[in-house]
């Protein structure tokens, strides 16, 4: 499976070799990023923010939302690493190719998920603390709403109610959305749309990221 030059077989690295080496390098670099401990504590993406000018209850709720943003980023970072590990193992080494084991389009699902994870990590830790609070509030309501919808209308709405209570305690107005399990925050009189992964991806890679996401989603969902 060596590459060819002008129709002649070339004994350089194969396509599979390049894929394996690339994903392996991405995995290793992401691992180094996730385990880096020398980041300056004053960096905007690690600052927890100062809520001391707010009332005690509001200050605590804001601190909880900022903590949730950090935990969301940590979780997304681990998810990206795990999916990179699987991608690095998806393709066989040169000489070990077996049609019965070749992953086909399956890696696109992994690539799509790691793109979401990397984007959510960056989106959640925006240096602007006001935006970070808003994004954390939106993400908490979206996540709780999705969990509630998955359980069904007859199930208790405790997770959603708890998320709504926290977001309101942080000073946000919350309105009902289009669906029973959807809640939206209001900022400066404007109802904010519900969280979507595509928003975070566009924030990370602009239109090119959205194009990749749409393409990989098609492959992941078996589109021809």
């Amino acid at each position: 499976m060596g590459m060819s030059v002008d129709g002649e077989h070339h004994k350089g690295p194969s396509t599979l070799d390049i894929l394996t080496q690339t994903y392996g390098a991405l995995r290793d670099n992401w691992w180094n990023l996730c385990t880096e401990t020398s980041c300056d504590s004053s960096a905007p993406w690690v600052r927890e923010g100062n809520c001391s000018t707010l009332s005690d209850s509001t200050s605590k709720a804001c601190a909880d939302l900022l903590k949730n943003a950090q935990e969301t980023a940590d979780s997304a970072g681990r998810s990206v690493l795990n999916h990179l590990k699987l991608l690095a193992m998806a393709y066989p080494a040169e000489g070990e190719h077996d049609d019965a084991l070749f992953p086909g389009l399956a890696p696109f699902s992994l690539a799509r998920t790691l793109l979401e994870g990397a984007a959510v990590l960056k989106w959640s830790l925006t240096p602007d603390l006001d935006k970070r609070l808003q994004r954390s509030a939106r993400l908490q309501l979206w996540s709780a709403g999705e969990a509630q919808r998955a359980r069904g209308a007859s199930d208790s709405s405790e997770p959603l109610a708890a998320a709504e209570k926290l977001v309101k305690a942080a000073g946000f107005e919350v309105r009902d959305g289009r669906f029973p399990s959807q809640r939206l925050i209001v900022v400066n009189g404007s109802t904010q749309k519900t969280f979507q992964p595509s928003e975070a991806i566009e924030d990370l890679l602009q239109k090119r990221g959205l194009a990749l996401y749409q393409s990989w989603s098609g492959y992941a969902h078996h589109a021809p």
Side-chain angles (χ1 to χ4, degrees), residues 9-73:
H9 186 74
H10 179 55
K11 295 183 179 180
S14 69
T15 303
L16 289 178
D17 286 335
I18 293 173
L19 285 171
T20 301
Q21 292 167 10
T22 299
Y23 289 133
L26 284 169
R27 174 203 59 206
D28 294 343
N29 287 332
W30 193 267
W31 170 257
N32 291 334
L33 175 65
C34 290
T35 55
E36 175 61 55
T37 59
S38 62
C39 183
D40 193 304
S41 60
S42 65
W45 48 88
V46 297
R47 282 189 291 124
E48 294 186 356
N50 181 8
C51 301
S52 61
T53 59
L54 305 173
S55 67
D56 289 343
S57 59
T58 303
S59 177
K60 183 181 184 305
C62 287
D64 287 343
L65 281 178
L66 292 174
K67 181 180 179 182
N68 288 344
Q70 181 67 56
E71 291 175 347
T72 295

Side-chain angles (χ1 to χ4, degrees), residues 68-218:
N68 288 344
Q70 181 67 56
E71 291 175 347
T72 295
D74 290 343
S75 178
R78 287 193 297 271
S79 175
V80 170
L81 177 61
N82 291 336
H83 283 80
L84 282 172
K85 289 177 182 177
L86 291 174
L87 273 176
M89 296 186 295
Y91 297 96
E94 180 67 14
E96 298 178 4
H97 176 65
D98 183 342
D99 286 340
L101 299 177
F102 192 72
L105 297 179
F108 282 99
S109 295
L110 299 173
R112 178 179 183 269
T113 302
L114 73 86
L115 177 59
E116 289 176 343
V120 167
L121 190 158
K122 189 255 186 182
W123 185 85
S124 298
L125 295 185
T126 176
D128 186 316
L129 292 179
D130 286 337
K131 284 187 178 180
R132 192 185 300 187
L133 278 169
Q134 294 169 19
R135 290 178 176 182
S136 181
R138 291 173 58 207
L139 191 58
Q140 296 303 311
L141 292 172
W142 170 80
S143 180
E146 289 296 296
Q148 171 63 23
R149 187 166 65 167
R151 292 185 178 97
S154 61
D155 192 83
S156 170
S157 60
E158 287 184 6
L160 182 56
E164 184 174 356
K165 180 179 179 181
L166 171 62
V167 170
K168 286 182 175 179
F172 291 103
E173 179 185 350
V174 178
R175 294 176 180 172
D176 292 342
R178 294 174 56 193
F179 311 106
S181 60
Q182 188 179 74
R183 301 291 185 274
L184 307 172
I185 66 168
V186 178
V187 177
N188 296 326
S190 176
T191 303
Q192 303 298 294
K193 61 184 179 180
T194 189
F195 169 77
Q196 293 289 343
S198 57
E199 176 186 353
I201 291 170
E202 184 173 16
D203 183 63
L204 177 66
L205 295 172
Q206 292 75 54
K207 298 300 182 183
R208 178 173 176 272
L210 289 179
L212 284 174
Y213 191 52
Q214 292 168 357
S215 175
W216 293 353
S217 294

